[in-house]
């Protein structure tokens, strides 16, 4: 696996590959890799002859300084995993390289409307940080396709909109969420959970499955969500938000909408878990 930590090294290699007729699939990550990330790499391999992964804990998307400081950084283990997955190049820039003028002086990419709600409401500025870094990484890697996890459903929609609005020639692929046998979505933040918390965390997914069952059997969406919130209130999970929206653009559904997504975020101990469930009624 080739390593690059500067834009110059990265661009040289990308240029050489493109001249040789190779195609490029890109998997941007913040490291601390788990089986969810590996499934992105597996998918990426199906779409191009070369796979590039980036590991960059992006300060611009953290609105809480402690969260940024405590974010797990496990570069050695991560690169070993990527080597065994056959990744072609790992890009590991530092904040100084990505934001040489500092965060305050950085030009932003801002996707309107859908970034103000759900995770955007709980984490102001988060999606602006995500779209800015993903755009910069897209400009550096110049991939043909890029893979993102569906666990971060809102993030995936934000990136698809950015690609469309800025006319980027990149195919964005959403990859199914990987779950533990009890249904907990794999996430780097699960590492913040104690064993006791890990035992109750799957209740979030189970609650979403319950909403799906109720809505599919004709219960009004609002009633199903209220029941689910009442149930969660009786557990150690503290709901941040729980909504059922249209799956294609996250707007509020009407009675005719068939393809829906349940979007959920909840606090458990020191972790904030997010999850979602796409379904048809
Ligand atoms: O999903 C993530 O890990 C990050 O938000 C991303 C897409 C790598 C941008 O920093």
């Amino acid at each position: 696996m080739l390593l690059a930590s500067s834009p110059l090294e990265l661009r040289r290699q990308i240029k050489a590959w493109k001249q040789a007729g190779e195609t490029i699939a890109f998997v941007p990550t913040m490291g601390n890799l788990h089986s969810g990330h590996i499934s992105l790499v597996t998918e990426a391999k199906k779409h191009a002859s070369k796979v590039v992964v980036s590991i960059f804990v992006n300060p611009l998307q953290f609105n809480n300084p402690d969260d940024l400081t405590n974010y797990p950084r496990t570069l050695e283990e991560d690169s070993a995993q990527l080597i065994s997955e056959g990744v072609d190049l790992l890009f590991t820039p530092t904040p100084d390289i990505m934001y040489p003028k500092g965060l305050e002086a950085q030009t932003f990419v801002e996707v309107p409307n859908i970034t103000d709600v759900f995770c955007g409401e709980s984490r102001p500025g988060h999606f602006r940080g995500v779209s800015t870094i993903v755009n910069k990484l897209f400009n550096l890697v110049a991939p043909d396709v890029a893979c993102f996890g569906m666990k971060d459903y809102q993030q995936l929609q934000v990136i698809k909109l950015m690609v469309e609005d800025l006319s980027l020639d990149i195919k964005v692929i959403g990859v199914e969420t990987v779950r533990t046998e009890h249904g907990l979505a794999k996430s780097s933040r699960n590492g913040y959970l104690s064993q006791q918390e890990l035992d109750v965390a799957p209740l979030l997914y189970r609650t979403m499955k319950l909403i799906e069952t109720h809505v599919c059997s004709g219960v009004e969406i609002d009633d199903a969500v209220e029941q689910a919130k009442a149930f969660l209130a009786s557990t150690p999970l503290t709901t941040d938000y729980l909504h059922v929206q249209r799956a294609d653009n996250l707007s509020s559904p009407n009675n005719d909408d068939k393809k829906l997504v349940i979007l959920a975020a909840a606090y458990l101990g020191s972790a904030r878990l997010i999850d979602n469930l796409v379904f048809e009624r």
Side-chain angles (χ1 to χ4, degrees):
M1 182 173 73
L2 299 169
L3 295 173
S5 55
S6 76
L8 193 71
E9 290 167 281
L10 174 68
R11 281 201 158 118
R12 267 201 199 124
Q13 188 55 54
I14 299 285
K15 196 172 170 194
W17 277 336
K18 292 218 162 172
Q19 279 170 349
E22 307 282 6
T23 54
I24 293 165
F26 178 43
V27 180
T29 81
M30 298 205 300
N32 195 234
L33 305 180
H34 49 69
S35 47
H37 295 110
I38 300 308
S39 75
L40 301 182
V41 171
T42 308
E43 185 64 29
K45 279 184 178 168
K46 295 181 194 160
H47 297 273
S49 57
K50 297 288 177 192
V51 174
V52 175
V53 173
S54 64
I55 294 182
F56 178 60
V57 181
N58 174 30
L60 206 55
Q61 70 188 76
F62 285 80
N63 51 334
N64 172 344
D66 288 343
D67 194 17
L68 173 62
T69 311
N70 297 333
Y71 200 85
R73 289 155 171 94
T74 51
L75 188 56
E76 243 174 74
E77 294 90 326
D78 292 347
S79 11
Q81 279 197 74
L82 296 175
I83 289 170
S84 68
E85 292 302 319
V87 165
D88 297 283
L89 188 149
L90 172 60
F91 180 50
T92 55
T94 59
D96 286 353
I97 285 181
M98 293 313 275
Y99 304 117
K101 293 183 228 145
L103 301 187
E104 298 305 321
Q106 174 63 38
T107 299
F108 295 120
V109 175
E110 184 133 27
V111 175
N113 306 324
I114 71 159
T115 51
D116 298 332
V117 288
F118 317 128
C119 278
E121 195 175 344
S122 309
R123 304 180 67 190
H126 168 68
F127 286 118
R128 186 172 72 169
V130 170
S131 47
T132 301
I133 193 63
V134 171
N135 197 280
K136 279 173 74 78
L137 291 166
F138 279 179
N139 288 333
L140 291 167
V141 178
D144 299 280
V145 304
C147 297
F148 294 84
M150 283 185 58
K151 182 183 83 72
D152 299 304
Y153 193 83
Q154 191 177 3
Q155 168 174 283
L156 178 63
Q157 304 308 314
V158 169
I159 288 161
K160 282 184 172 169
L161 275 175
M162 177 187 79
V163 164
E164 188 184 324
D165 289 355
L166 299 182
S167 310
L168 305 182
D169 190 13
I170 298 169
K171 184 175 176 199
V172 174
I173 297 172
V175 181
E176 276 303 324
T177 303
V178 177
R179 298 180 181 280
T180 65
E181 57 172 327
H182 300 297
L184 175 63
K186 290 286 182 102
S187 164
S188 300
R189 290 173 198 277
N190 295 352
Y192 300 149
L193 299 173
S194 66
Q195 187 51 54
Q196 239 174 357
E197 289 163 348
L198 278 171
D199 292 342
V200 293
L203 284 174
L204 186 60
Y205 182 61
R206 251 184 272 161
T207 306
M208 293 193 306
K209 290 296 279 180
L210 219 60
I211 296 178
E212 176 190 11
T213 310
H214 285 161
V215 171
C216 288
S217 64
V219 175
E220 289 288 334
I221 288 177
D222 287 351
D223 295 342
V225 170
E226 281 320 305
Q227 269 183 39
K229 279 187 179 163
F231 169 69
L232 281 175
S234 71
T235 75
L237 289 150
T238 305
T239 307
D240 176 10
Y241 64 75
L242 186 60
H243 295 280
V244 179
Q245 303 297 125
R246 283 180 60 179
D248 56 353
N249 62 10
L250 306 191
S251 63
S252 295
N254 59 35
N255 290 338
D256 302 330
D257 286 315
K258 298 274 172 264
K259 198 159 181 212
L260 303 171
V261 59
I262 303 165
L263 299 168
Y267 297 97
L268 182 59
S270 58
R272 180 173 173 276
L273 308 176
I274 65 170
D275 205 348
N276 68 81
L277 180 63
V278 178
F279 69 100
E280 276 194 51
R281 66 171 165 187

